[in-house]
Amino acid sequence: MTGYTPEEHYSNPNLGFELVHPDDRWKLDGLSEQVNQSPILLRWIKKNGEIIWTEQMNVPVYDDEGNLIAIEGIARDVTERQKTSEALKAAFNSVVTVLSDVLNLKDPYTEFHEKNVAKLAVEIGRKMDLDESTIEALRVSAMVHDIGKIMIPTEILSKPGKLSDIEFEIIKRHPVTGYEILKKVKLPWPVAEIVYQHHERLDGSGYPRHLKEKEILLEAKIIMVADVVEAMSSHRPYRAALGFDAALEEIRSNAGRLYDPKIVEICASIIEGGFTFLESDQ
Protein backbone atom coordinates (compact mmCIF):
# COMPACT_ATOMS: atom_id res chain seq x y z
CA MET A 1 0.00 0.00 0.00
CA THR A 2 2.78 2.46 0.85
CA GLY A 3 5.45 1.52 -1.69
CA TYR A 4 8.01 1.23 1.13
CA THR A 5 9.68 -2.03 2.12
CA PRO A 6 9.36 -3.41 5.67
CA GLU A 7 13.04 -2.59 6.16
CA GLU A 8 12.42 1.06 5.30
CA HIS A 9 9.64 1.17 7.85
CA TYR A 10 11.74 -0.42 10.58
CA SER A 11 14.74 1.81 9.92
CA ASN A 12 12.71 5.03 10.13
CA PRO A 13 10.59 5.24 13.30
CA ASN A 14 8.94 8.44 12.00
CA LEU A 15 7.83 6.96 8.69
CA GLY A 16 4.38 6.07 10.03
CA PHE A 17 3.85 9.75 10.87
CA GLU A 18 5.41 11.04 7.65
CA LEU A 19 3.14 8.77 5.59
CA VAL A 20 0.09 10.69 6.77
CA HIS A 21 -0.91 13.73 4.72
CA PRO A 22 0.01 16.97 6.60
CA ASP A 23 -3.64 18.07 6.64
CA ASP A 24 -4.65 14.84 8.41
CA ARG A 25 -1.87 14.59 10.99
CA TRP A 26 -4.00 16.31 13.63
CA LYS A 27 -6.05 13.11 13.72
CA LEU A 28 -3.05 11.35 15.23
CA ASP A 29 -3.19 13.55 18.35
CA GLY A 30 -4.35 11.55 21.32
CA LEU A 31 -4.16 8.33 19.32
CA SER A 32 -3.83 6.27 22.51
CA GLU A 33 -7.31 7.44 23.58
CA GLN A 34 -8.84 6.42 20.23
CA VAL A 35 -7.97 2.72 20.34
CA ASN A 36 -10.85 0.29 19.87
CA GLN A 37 -13.11 3.15 18.78
CA SER A 38 -14.34 4.20 15.33
CA PRO A 39 -11.95 3.76 12.38
CA ILE A 40 -9.87 6.79 11.44
CA LEU A 41 -9.96 8.01 7.85
CA LEU A 42 -6.51 9.20 6.73
CA ARG A 43 -4.80 10.22 3.52
CA TRP A 44 -1.45 8.52 3.05
CA ILE A 45 1.37 9.72 0.80
CA LYS A 46 2.98 6.76 -0.94
CA LYS A 47 6.69 6.58 -1.70
CA ASN A 48 6.00 7.63 -5.31
CA GLY A 49 4.02 10.68 -4.14
CA GLU A 50 0.59 9.23 -4.91
CA ILE A 51 -2.10 10.05 -2.32
CA ILE A 52 -4.47 7.29 -1.23
CA TRP A 53 -7.27 7.17 1.34
CA THR A 54 -6.98 4.61 4.14
CA GLU A 55 -9.24 3.49 6.94
CA GLN A 56 -7.31 2.61 10.08
CA MET A 57 -8.49 0.72 13.17
CA ASN A 58 -6.17 0.88 16.16
CA VAL A 59 -5.60 -2.00 18.58
CA PRO A 60 -3.86 -1.43 21.95
CA VAL A 61 -1.01 -3.61 23.17
CA TYR A 62 -0.46 -3.80 26.96
CA ASP A 63 2.30 -5.25 29.11
CA ASP A 64 1.68 -7.69 31.99
CA GLU A 65 1.02 -4.77 34.34
CA GLY A 66 -1.68 -3.27 32.14
CA ASN A 67 0.42 -0.42 30.77
CA LEU A 68 -0.11 0.64 27.15
CA ILE A 69 3.16 -0.07 25.36
CA ALA A 70 2.17 0.02 21.70
CA ILE A 71 -0.61 0.67 19.23
CA GLU A 72 -1.04 -1.65 16.29
CA GLY A 73 -2.82 -0.10 13.37
CA ILE A 74 -4.78 -2.19 10.90
CA ALA A 75 -5.37 -0.21 7.71
CA ARG A 76 -7.02 -0.80 4.36
CA ASP A 77 -7.09 1.17 1.12
CA VAL A 78 -10.51 2.83 0.69
CA THR A 79 -9.55 5.24 -2.09
CA GLU A 80 -12.25 4.11 -4.53
CA ARG A 81 -14.92 4.19 -1.85
CA GLN A 82 -13.87 7.72 -0.87
CA LYS A 83 -13.94 8.91 -4.48
CA THR A 84 -17.47 7.57 -4.85
CA SER A 85 -18.52 9.18 -1.58
CA GLU A 86 -17.11 12.55 -2.65
CA ALA A 87 -18.86 12.30 -6.02
CA LEU A 88 -22.19 11.61 -4.29
CA LYS A 89 -21.60 14.48 -1.88
CA ALA A 90 -20.84 16.83 -4.77
CA ALA A 91 -24.05 15.76 -6.51
CA PHE A 92 -26.05 16.29 -3.31
CA ASN A 93 -24.53 19.74 -2.81
CA SER A 94 -25.48 20.64 -6.37
CA VAL A 95 -29.11 19.71 -5.66
CA VAL A 96 -29.10 21.84 -2.47
CA THR A 97 -27.65 24.77 -4.41
CA VAL A 98 -30.29 24.41 -7.13
CA LEU A 99 -33.07 24.44 -4.50
CA SER A 100 -31.62 27.64 -3.06
CA ASP A 101 -31.23 29.19 -6.51
CA VAL A 102 -34.86 28.40 -7.42
CA LEU A 103 -36.00 30.60 -4.53
CA ASN A 104 -33.58 33.33 -5.62
CA LEU A 105 -35.30 33.47 -9.02
CA LYS A 106 -38.56 34.22 -7.23
CA ASP A 107 -37.08 36.63 -4.68
CA PRO A 108 -34.03 38.34 -6.25
CA TYR A 109 -33.76 40.79 -3.36
CA THR A 110 -32.41 37.99 -1.20
CA GLU A 111 -30.16 36.48 -3.87
CA PHE A 112 -27.30 35.71 -1.51
CA HIS A 113 -29.33 35.38 1.69
CA GLU A 114 -29.29 31.58 2.04
CA LYS A 115 -25.61 31.29 1.12
CA ASN A 116 -24.68 34.08 3.53
CA VAL A 117 -26.68 32.59 6.39
CA ALA A 118 -25.01 29.25 5.70
CA LYS A 119 -21.56 30.85 5.68
CA LEU A 120 -22.10 32.55 9.04
CA ALA A 121 -23.89 29.58 10.63
CA VAL A 122 -21.07 27.21 9.67
CA GLU A 123 -18.49 29.63 11.08
CA ILE A 124 -20.43 29.80 14.36
CA GLY A 125 -20.62 26.00 14.45
CA ARG A 126 -16.88 25.66 13.94
CA LYS A 127 -16.16 28.18 16.71
CA MET A 128 -18.40 26.05 18.96
CA ASP A 129 -16.28 22.97 18.08
CA LEU A 130 -19.29 21.09 16.73
CA ASP A 131 -18.63 17.82 14.92
CA GLU A 132 -18.47 17.72 11.13
CA SER A 133 -21.85 16.03 10.78
CA THR A 134 -23.55 18.84 12.73
CA ILE A 135 -21.62 21.42 10.68
CA GLU A 136 -22.95 19.83 7.51
CA ALA A 137 -26.48 19.82 8.95
CA LEU A 138 -26.09 23.55 9.60
CA ARG A 139 -24.86 24.24 6.08
CA VAL A 140 -27.57 22.26 4.32
CA SER A 141 -30.37 23.57 6.54
CA ALA A 142 -29.25 27.18 6.13
CA MET A 143 -29.02 26.80 2.35
CA VAL A 144 -32.72 25.84 2.18
CA HIS A 145 -34.14 27.50 5.31
CA ASP A 146 -36.41 29.85 3.30
CA ILE A 147 -37.46 27.34 0.65
CA GLY A 148 -41.05 27.67 1.92
CA LYS A 149 -41.19 31.20 0.49
CA ILE A 150 -41.54 29.60 -2.94
CA MET A 151 -45.31 29.51 -2.20
CA ILE A 152 -45.55 33.19 -1.24
CA PRO A 153 -46.76 35.60 -3.98
CA THR A 154 -43.92 37.64 -5.47
CA GLU A 155 -45.75 40.91 -4.88
CA ILE A 156 -45.60 40.23 -1.12
CA LEU A 157 -41.94 39.18 -1.12
CA SER A 158 -40.88 42.27 -3.07
CA LYS A 159 -43.33 44.77 -1.54
CA PRO A 160 -41.45 48.04 -0.90
CA GLY A 161 -43.70 49.18 1.95
CA LYS A 162 -44.88 47.79 5.25
CA LEU A 163 -46.72 44.47 5.11
CA SER A 164 -50.34 44.28 6.20
CA ASP A 165 -51.30 41.92 9.02
CA ILE A 166 -52.69 39.43 6.51
CA GLU A 167 -49.55 39.61 4.36
CA PHE A 168 -47.34 39.07 7.39
CA GLU A 169 -49.39 36.03 8.39
CA ILE A 170 -48.76 34.63 4.89
CA ILE A 171 -45.03 35.26 5.31
CA LYS A 172 -45.10 33.46 8.65
CA ARG A 173 -46.29 30.30 6.91
CA HIS A 174 -43.00 29.76 5.09
CA PRO A 175 -41.37 27.60 7.82
CA VAL A 176 -44.41 25.31 7.71
CA THR A 177 -44.27 25.07 3.91
CA GLY A 178 -40.52 24.46 4.06
CA TYR A 179 -41.08 21.64 6.53
CA GLU A 180 -43.77 20.07 4.36
CA ILE A 181 -41.41 20.13 1.35
CA LEU A 182 -38.32 18.83 3.14
CA LYS A 183 -39.85 16.19 5.41
CA LYS A 184 -40.24 13.96 2.35
CA VAL A 185 -36.48 14.03 1.71
CA LYS A 186 -34.44 11.28 3.39
CA LEU A 187 -31.39 12.95 4.92
CA PRO A 188 -28.99 11.97 7.74
CA TRP A 189 -29.87 15.19 9.60
CA PRO A 190 -33.18 16.70 10.81
CA VAL A 191 -33.11 19.40 8.12
CA ALA A 192 -36.90 19.65 7.82
CA GLU A 193 -37.29 20.20 11.58
CA ILE A 194 -34.43 22.75 11.67
CA VAL A 195 -36.11 24.71 8.87
CA TYR A 196 -39.43 24.44 10.75
CA GLN A 197 -37.82 26.02 13.84
CA HIS A 198 -35.61 28.78 12.43
CA HIS A 199 -38.08 31.58 13.34
CA GLU A 200 -38.75 30.31 16.86
CA ARG A 201 -37.38 32.24 19.85
CA LEU A 202 -36.23 31.09 23.29
CA ASP A 203 -39.12 32.77 25.14
CA GLY A 204 -41.79 31.24 22.89
CA SER A 205 -42.53 34.49 21.04
CA GLY A 206 -41.39 33.10 17.69
CA TYR A 207 -43.39 31.23 15.06
CA PRO A 208 -45.02 29.06 13.83
CA ARG A 209 -45.26 26.79 16.93
CA HIS A 210 -44.10 29.16 19.70
CA LEU A 211 -41.48 26.68 20.87
CA LYS A 212 -39.32 27.54 23.87
CA GLU A 213 -35.63 27.13 24.66
CA LYS A 214 -35.37 23.40 25.40
CA GLU A 215 -37.73 22.53 22.55
CA ILE A 216 -35.54 24.18 19.90
CA LEU A 217 -32.72 22.31 18.19
CA LEU A 218 -29.18 23.69 18.53
CA GLU A 219 -28.87 24.02 14.75
CA ALA A 220 -32.06 26.11 14.62
CA LYS A 221 -30.75 28.34 17.43
CA ILE A 222 -27.59 28.99 15.40
CA ILE A 223 -29.43 29.62 12.14
CA MET A 224 -31.93 32.01 13.76
CA VAL A 225 -29.04 34.23 14.92
CA ALA A 226 -27.22 34.06 11.57
CA ASP A 227 -30.53 34.76 9.79
CA VAL A 228 -31.21 37.91 11.84
CA VAL A 229 -27.68 39.25 11.38
CA GLU A 230 -27.73 38.68 7.63
CA ALA A 231 -31.22 40.13 7.16
CA MET A 232 -30.54 43.28 9.18
CA SER A 233 -27.15 43.97 7.59
CA SER A 234 -28.39 43.54 4.00
CA HIS A 235 -30.68 45.56 1.73
CA ARG A 236 -34.37 44.70 1.55
CA PRO A 237 -37.16 46.06 -0.70
CA TYR A 238 -38.68 48.00 2.22
CA ARG A 239 -35.45 49.48 3.67
CA ALA A 240 -31.74 50.03 3.17
CA ALA A 241 -29.18 47.83 4.92
CA LEU A 242 -28.96 48.60 8.64
CA GLY A 243 -25.40 47.30 8.93
CA PHE A 244 -23.55 45.01 11.31
CA ASP A 245 -23.70 47.42 14.25
CA ALA A 246 -27.51 47.40 14.30
CA ALA A 247 -27.59 43.63 13.86
CA LEU A 248 -25.18 43.08 16.77
CA GLU A 249 -27.22 45.45 18.94
CA GLU A 250 -30.33 43.40 18.18
CA ILE A 251 -28.88 40.01 19.09
CA ARG A 252 -26.92 41.29 22.10
CA SER A 253 -29.85 43.18 23.61
CA ASN A 254 -32.03 40.09 23.28
CA ALA A 255 -29.46 37.45 24.27
CA GLY A 256 -31.00 35.09 26.81
CA ARG A 257 -34.56 36.16 25.95
CA LEU A 258 -34.81 35.55 22.19
CA TYR A 259 -31.39 34.18 21.29
CA ASP A 260 -28.94 31.76 22.90
CA PRO A 261 -26.32 33.86 24.78
CA LYS A 262 -23.38 31.63 23.87
CA ILE A 263 -24.29 31.69 20.18
CA VAL A 264 -24.73 35.47 20.30
CA GLU A 265 -21.30 35.88 21.92
CA ILE A 266 -19.59 33.70 19.33
CA CYS A 267 -21.44 35.34 16.42
CA ALA A 268 -20.48 38.81 17.64
CA SER A 269 -16.82 37.82 17.94
CA ILE A 270 -16.87 36.48 14.38
CA ILE A 271 -18.43 39.66 12.98
CA GLU A 272 -16.07 41.90 14.94
CA GLY A 273 -13.17 39.77 13.74
CA GLY A 274 -13.71 40.95 10.15
CA PHE A 275 -16.29 38.48 8.80
CA THR A 276 -17.88 39.47 5.48
CA PHE A 277 -20.79 38.11 3.49
CA LEU A 278 -20.61 37.05 -0.15
CA GLU A 279 -22.02 40.35 -1.39
CA SER A 280 -21.66 42.99 1.23
CA ASP A 281 -20.96 46.69 1.48
CA GLN A 282 -20.82 46.90 5.27
Side-chain angles (χ1 to χ4, degrees), residues 171-281:
I171 288 284
K172 287 167 65 175
R173 288 288 303 169
H174 79 271
V176 180
T177 305
Y179 173 77
E180 292 297 327
I181 293 171
L182 296 168
K183 73 177 184 179
K184 303 169 186 176
V185 183
K186 294 182 179 180
L187 296 170
W189 321 282
V191 172
E193 187 62 34
I194 295 168
V195 168
Y196 207 174
Q197 297 181 8
H198 79 276
H199 274 293
E200 301 289 352
R201 297 295 183 259
L202 301 190
D203 64 355
S205 63
Y207 60 86
R209 290 178 290 170
H210 307 291
L211 302 180
K212 293 188 176 181
E213 182 173 0
K214 294 181 179 180
E215 300 171 305
I216 305 172
L217 295 173
L218 174 62
E219 295 92 335
K221 291 177 181 178
I222 293 173
I223 290 175
M224 72 170 70
V225 171
D227 189 28
V228 167
V229 171
E230 201 287 334
M232 291 187 65
S233 58
S234 302
H235 292 287
R236 289 295 182 267
Y238 49 88
R239 60 153 172 81
L242 300 176
F244 279 142
D245 289 342
L248 293 182
E249 171 63 23
E250 160 64 21
I251 62 173
R252 278 175 166 154
S253 63
N254 288 295
R257 185 175 71 87
L258 302 182
Y259 316 112
D260 184 283
K262 181 180 179 181
I263 295 171
V264 167
E265 178 185 348
I266 292 174
C267 179
S269 68
I270 291 170
I271 298 299
E272 292 171 343
F275 178 88
T276 58
F277 287 125
L278 295 176
E279 185 180 69
S280 173
D281 53 9

Side-chain angles (χ1 to χ4, degrees), residues 82-93:
Q82 189 64 18
K83 287 181 178 178
T84 300
S85 176
E86 290 178 352
L88 288 172
K89 184 177 180 180
F92 171 73
N93 287 338

Side-chain angles (χ1 to χ4, degrees), residues 85-101 112-126 130-147 182 187-192 194-195 198 218-220 222-224 226 278:
S85 176
E86 290 178 352
L88 288 172
K89 184 177 180 180
F92 171 73
N93 287 338
S94 296
V95 172
V96 171
T97 301
V98 167
L99 281 174
S100 180
D101 288 344
F112 292 97
H113 177 63
E114 283 78 14
K115 295 180 178 68
N116 283 332
V117 171
K119 182 182 179 184
L120 181 54
V122 166
E123 187 67 20
I124 293 171
R126 294 200 186 285
L130 301 182
D131 61 80
E132 285 303 313
S133 179
T134 305
I135 295 292
E136 187 66 2
L138 274 173
R139 188 190 67 81
V140 173
S141 300
M143 285 288 289
V144 295
H145 74 276
D146 277 343
I147 191 65
L182 296 168
L187 296 170
W189 321 282
V191 172
I194 295 168
V195 168
H198 79 276
L218 174 62
E219 295 92 335
I222 293 173
I223 290 175
M224 72 170 70
L278 295 176

